[in-house]
Amino acid sequence: MQTRFYFIRHGETQWNKQGIYQGWTDIPLSEEGKKQAQCLRKRFENEKLKLDAVYSSPLQRAMQTAEAMAKAKGLTVIADNHFKEINFGEWEGHTVAQLSEKHGKAYTDFFENPFIHPFPGEGSFDAVIKRSVEGFELLLKKHEGGNVAIVSHGGLLRVLIMTLMGMDYTFYRKTWLSNTSVTVIDVKENGKKLLLTLNDFSHLETL
């Protein structure tokens, strides 16, 4: 049986607009982000888009986004810590320019290759991969043959998607996930994964 996953980044926040690291800092959606979430909801009102469950990072920017789309299907959002954003510790609340100036090579090395350099908070991308893949595999087992939405964050989702698809780590800096974008991966009965859609935000054309 085929299982379909919708990976969705949360709507815009003020810190997104300002280019500030958010991580585990619990920032709400901006007014624009709330509008984006409603566009996402309209997308999932399409009866052809089947959903059996909606899971979300517990951070409010993700939960607000998830709740909007879940309403379209009459579902209740389930908070799941596996899909919380990457924890950047003391780097949160700062821009790239600020971090480069304050931490110098320790930050710029990470920025150039985050998979081999440590950072505050979670400490390593290996830790991020471990918890996110663990969460995915639990849902795959629980919802085999179903259709599942996971609402999370840009950093976490890029790491998870590239890991699931067996992509080289350089993929992380070669792509982007826009606010409320939808990425679709099908998992076949034999375990083969097919990436059908990446960073689709066509529903925002109505804004």
Side-chain angles (χ1 to χ4, degrees):
M1 290 186 292
Q2 174 179 287
T3 308
R4 174 161 293 182
F5 284 89
Y6 295 91
F7 297 95
I8 300 163
R9 187 187 175 198
H10 63 77
E12 182 197 80
T13 69
Q14 285 299 322
W15 280 19
N16 284 153
K17 289 182 67 175
Q18 296 165 14
I20 297 173
Y21 273 66
Q22 293 180 114
W24 282 17
T25 307
D26 203 5
I27 305 298
L29 294 180
S30 64
E31 288 306 309
E32 182 70 8
K34 292 175 183 176
K35 293 177 183 176
Q36 292 171 344
Q38 290 306 312
C39 290
L40 182 70
R41 174 183 176 173
K42 290 179 181 177
R43 175 178 184 146
F44 277 87
E45 284 176 349
N46 183 340
E47 62 182 19
K48 292 182 180 179
L49 289 178
K50 306 296 183 183
L51 269 188
D52 300 299
V54 178
Y55 291 83
S56 174
S57 156
L59 296 172
Q60 60 179 318
R61 58 190 183 271
M63 288 293 289
Q64 288 176 308
T65 304
E67 286 165 357
M69 62 169 294
K71 286 180 182 178
K73 297 300 185 185
L75 297 171
T76 300
V77 179
I78 302 169
D80 191 327
N81 283 318
H82 287 102
F83 306 113
K84 204 171 181 180
E85 179 60 300
I86 301 167
N87 180 357
F88 287 107
E90 65 184 77
W91 286 1
E92 294 176 15
H94 298 87
T95 64
V96 169
Q98 290 169 339
L99 292 171
S100 297
E101 181 178 352
K102 184 176 181 178
H103 298 285
K105 193 171 187 297
Y107 174 73
T108 56
D109 282 350
F110 163 82
F111 188 84
E112 289 300 320
N113 194 339
F115 284 84
I116 63 173
H117 294 287
F119 55 92
E122 201 141 3
S124 74
F125 270 33
D126 285 342
V128 178
I129 290 170
K130 182 179 179 181
R131 72 169 166 93
S132 60
V133 171
E134 179 183 77
F136 171 82
E137 290 178 345
L138 287 170
L139 296 189
L140 177 59
K141 184 177 181 180
K142 183 177 180 179
H143 296 284
E144 184 179 4
N147 299 275
V148 181
I150 297 173
V151 182
S152 185
H153 308 266
L156 185 287
L157 286 177
R158 278 189 289 161
V159 170
L160 177 56
I161 291 164
M162 61 177 287
T163 301
L164 294 178
M165 299 309 301
M167 295 171 175
D168 185 89
Y169 67 81
T170 58
F171 177 81
Y172 185 79
R173 290 295 186 204
K174 293 178 180 178
T175 191
W176 186 252
L177 295 179
S178 302
N179 291 115
T180 71
S181 65
V182 180
T183 295
V184 183
I185 294 178
D186 280 352
V187 184
K188 302 297 184 180
E189 191 171 3
N190 63 3
K192 181 180 180 180
K193 300 176 183 71
L194 294 177
L195 178 62
L196 302 184
T197 306
L198 178 67
N199 194 37
D200 177 9
F201 52 93
S202 57
H203 51 276
L204 298 184
E205 291 176 358
T206 56
L207 280 180

